[in-house]
Amino acid sequence: MRRREDIRDAFARRFGGRAAQAVAYAPGRINLIGEHTDYNGLPVLPFALPHSIRIAFAANDAGAIELRHARDTFPPVVFDVSGTVPPDAPGSWGNYAKAAVEYLARLAAETPGARPHGFAAVVDGDIPLAGGLSSSSALVVATALVFAEVNALGLTPLALASHLAVAEKYVGTQGGGMDQAASLLGARDKALRIDFFPLGVTHVPFPEGYAVLACHSLVKAAKTEEVRAQFNGRVGECRVAAALLRRAFDRPEAPRLGDFAKSLGAAACLAALTETLGGRDPAPAGSVLELLGMCEEEMAERFFRGTPPPSELRVLPRARHVLEEAARVDAATRALAAGDMRTLGVLMTSAHASARDLYEISHPALEELVGLFLAEGALGARLTGAGFGGFAIALGTQDVLEHLMAVVDEHFYRVRAPDRPLEELRFIVRPSDGAHVVRV
Ligand code: GLA
């Protein structure tokens, strides 16, 4: 209750006493298991956080969008919905809002005679930034809900999630569709088993008495240029793996690793890749180019968003991680549905080892947290989200998690961040509601 009044007050203060017409909420997410599978067309198992981005807004007829942030460190963002929407400098918060508006305005313009409405809005939120908990996608989702509301777009959450997975590519990261779907379709006390291409969501009850402790590694997982390049590099290696399988199995129509995993099984895919590459890991880019019969420019264009491919590619371990992770997500979905949290925990810990050793997205600070969690009684522990920093999670009963939190406060935060407020850095959570609009 208090939260909603705060943002409405902030709206009135910034817009000369005007009243907001509604508040949109879009939560962040924690991913229990299934990392870097979504863009390969393979499943994930996240849940929506109680932490969200909130936007208080009022429509206007002028087609102008005026966004203010409740925290003054974020500069105002003003743009027009008609025509193309040019992005701000990379890293600007406004680009996530623009990503949603640019895409949905184009969709709205397909109705003859339509002239999209704009809006004035104040944005705030309590999802830790740069922590891999999808604060950016939550901003995309919340802005999309506002735009859809003021333009009466009438899209279902599933349709909106599909659109926004594409829309977010505006910011330059080649992510999949997990974050937008988890935010839009999240539900209290339910994890989400999400499948892709086509997008499908099944709610899986999260048993009473259990929860997740999430702890910031204090290493930013911001979508900075460097992390973005690393992320897109992994996506590129997976695309190369799919291209090699297309040739090996003569299936030019299959775009993603997941298409092969679903029809042939993981073992056949890995055997074919190992044979094609002669077991080479890393594989020199030159030898992969030869196998694919393409030049470096073509590889850069098709798989690496125009940036030169690395001189050596780790196709085999990347594909092994993705294919085995998908099998772990299937097993984890079954375990959760059966209330078998012990098995879920074991699968999460194996997923972490794979993310560290095969996908190489961990960080020493994440290792320290995961090590502490496991030594102190977690049922399972892993990094969550894209990796390279951000949050680590532990699965357990409420009392075990409270004990873990005390240990982490003492041995991790007191040493490394004695002055930071602990509430921002770690919390115990259960699955919470998905995105919605509350009219005021
Ligand atoms: C980021 C992306 C997601 C997903 C994860 C890794 O959060 O936005 O689509 O790829 O990384 O699992």
Side-chain angles (χ1 to χ4, degrees):
M1 194 61 196
R2 215 189 121 249
R3 281 219 217 137
R4 196 179 309 157
E5 281 166 358
D6 284 351
I7 191 148
R8 287 172 56 198
D9 289 349
F11 185 94
R13 268 200 310 280
R14 283 177 176 68
F15 292 104
R18 257 176 92 191
Q21 78 186 59
V23 181
Y25 294 84
R29 60 99 190 96
I30 265 175
N31 190 15
L32 285 170
I33 193 163
E35 225 61 87
H36 293 267
T37 43
D38 60 353
Y39 52 79
N40 287 297
L42 290 164
V44 295
L45 189 66
F47 66 68
L49 284 171
H51 305 70
S52 64
I53 295 284
R54 331 181 249 289
I55 306 187
F57 64 95
N60 66 45
D61 293 332
I65 307 245
E66 193 174 350
L67 294 175
R68 306 289 182 84
H69 203 288
R71 287 184 238 168
D72 292 328
T73 39
F74 294 87
V77 174
V78 180
F79 59 100
D80 205 88
V81 289
S82 56
T84 51
V85 179
D88 297 334
S92 157
W93 72 283
N95 284 342
Y96 292 92
K98 287 183 164 188
V101 170
E102 206 258 350
Y103 190 94
L104 293 182
R106 256 191 294 123
L107 203 71
E110 284 167 15
T111 314
R115 229 182 110 252
H117 296 291
F119 53 85
V122 171
V123 180
D124 198 4
D126 59 355
I127 309 172
L129 302 179
L133 302 184
S134 295
S135 57
S136 331
S137 294
L139 177 54
V140 175
V141 169
T143 312
L145 283 185
V146 175
F147 188 84
E149 178 80 12
V150 302
N151 289 290
L153 293 190
L155 294 163
T156 64
L158 199 65
L160 196 52
S162 277
H163 287 309
L164 296 182
V166 183
E168 198 170 321
K169 297 202 190 303
Y170 179 91
V171 300
T173 307
Q174 300 291 295
M178 163 167 66
D179 307 342
Q180 303 81 4
S183 183
L184 278 156
L185 288 130
R188 199 188 170 90
D189 298 333
K190 307 275 196 303
L192 291 90
R193 151 78 188 221
I194 308 177
D195 289 275
F196 300 93
F197 311 108
L199 186 65
V201 175
T202 311
H203 290 112
V204 187
F206 193 89
E208 273 304 306
Y210 292 91
V212 166
L213 167 67
C215 293
H216 203 310
S217 64
L218 303 173
V219 178
K220 280 194 182 175
K223 300 233 169 83
T224 55
E225 282 309 304
E226 199 198 317
V227 172
R228 200 192 306 274
Q230 294 261 19
F231 186 99
N232 291 341
R234 298 294 188 279
V235 177
E237 285 171 314
C238 291
R239 289 180 177 161
V240 168
L244 290 168
L245 290 175
R246 277 198 287 281
R247 286 180 86 85
F249 292 107
D250 194 19
R251 287 192 45 197
E253 82 300 343
R256 296 175 194 88
L257 258 181
D259 299 308
F260 295 95
K262 285 177 203 162
S263 55
L264 303 165
C269 295
L270 287 172
L273 284 173
T274 308
E275 196 192 317
T276 309
L277 289 164
R280 269 168 300 193
D281 173 44
S287 67
V288 178
L289 289 171
E290 216 167 286
L291 285 168
L292 292 173
M294 57 175 66
C295 65
E296 193 177 302
E297 288 69 35
E298 188 182 352
M299 180 182 270
E301 213 44 60
R302 288 187 47 196
F303 306 141
F304 293 92
R305 296 192 70 248
T307 55
S311 57
E312 292 188 320
L313 300 169
R314 298 212 64 197
V315 178
L316 285 175
R318 307 305 188 231
R320 179 178 294 280
H321 165 79
V322 169
L323 296 166
E324 293 177 352
E325 183 84 345
R328 278 189 290 268
V329 174
D330 286 341
T333 308
R334 286 194 297 274
L336 186 61
D340 180 357
M341 301 304 264
R342 202 160 283 282
T343 300
L344 174 61
V346 170
L347 290 162
M348 287 170 66
T349 307
S350 311
H352 181 74
S354 179
R356 178 190 60 220
D357 301 336
L358 300 178
Y359 224 66
E360 297 179 284
I361 54 171
S362 191
H363 184 281
L366 288 167
E367 290 309 312
E368 192 173 332
L369 284 172
V370 168
L372 274 179
F373 294 160
L374 292 173
E376 296 290 331
L379 290 173
R382 58 184 294 274
L383 61 82
T384 192
F388 308 106
F391 275 73
I393 57 171
L395 179 73
T397 54
Q398 186 74 28
D399 355 328
V400 168
L401 296 184
E402 269 161 29
H403 162 71
L404 289 184
M405 193 156 87
V407 171
V408 173
D409 286 354
E410 176 68 17
H411 294 285
F412 194 82
Y413 296 124
R414 203 171 60 87
V415 183
R416 297 181 179 217
D419 302 325
R420 296 269 303 264
L422 287 166
E423 312 73 62
E424 287 173 13
L425 299 173
R426 86 299 186 252
F427 30 81
I428 296 174
V429 283
R430 283 183 48 85
S432 301
D433 289 331
H436 58 283
V437 174
V438 177
R439 291 182 191 86
V440 289

